[in-house]
Amino acid sequence: MAAKKITKADIIDALYEKTKMNRAEIHGAIDLFIDEMKDAIARRKIIELRGFGTFEVKIRKARPRARNPRTGESIVIQPHGAVTFRPGREMKQLVWDIGEDAAPKN
């Protein structure tokens, strides 16, 4: 069974319940945070959030003989950046015991 998605609106509601801050202020702060992360990633900076994980850009090599899965046509893939995430130690420990048959916690 797939886990339930949490949206930005869900996070805003949860923060509102915990802090009683204005929803608009919370929304603005989250948008600023996301924009800062995107700007840093675009500048190839590494973002480390202790206890959560690290975001960084890795360069993928060119692939001269890739295939389009829909058409089977051979295509050339140029070198390009890809955002990667490595979970931090606390995040790894938090999810370590979750098994395939474990019910998602809401």
Side-chain angles (χ1 to χ4, degrees):
M1 174 183 233
K4 180 186 179 296
K5 288 184 184 178
I6 301 291
T7 65
K8 183 166 63 169
D10 295 331
I11 293 170
I12 290 169
D13 289 342
L15 291 174
Y16 174 75
E17 291 298 320
K18 291 178 181 175
T19 65
K20 298 300 182 194
M21 287 176 57
N22 181 326
R23 276 190 169 93
E25 290 173 352
I26 295 170
H27 192 278
I30 288 175
D31 284 343
L32 282 173
F33 177 74
I34 291 170
D35 288 343
E36 284 298 316
M37 288 186 65
K38 288 193 300 190
D39 290 344
I41 292 282
R43 293 189 320 266
R44 296 202 53 197
K45 300 287 184 185
I46 297 171
I47 300 172
E48 179 181 336
L49 302 172
R50 298 273 168 125
F52 185 73
T54 303
F55 296 88
E56 65 182 301
V57 174
K58 298 226 175 162
I59 302 300
R60 302 282 186 230
K61 293 187 227 175
R63 293 178 39 206
R65 292 188 307 248
R67 290 209 179 272
N68 179 334
R70 285 191 185 167
T71 64
E73 173 190 4
S74 273
I75 56 174
V76 175
I77 298 178
Q78 301 298 323
H80 61 279
V83 178
T84 62
F85 174 75
R86 287 177 309 185
R89 184 181 331 150
E90 290 176 32
M91 181 66 72
K92 285 181 188 178
Q93 290 172 346
L94 185 64
V95 300
W96 182 260
D97 292 329
I98 296 176
E100 285 186 32
D101 57 349
K105 293 182 182 178
N106 293 336

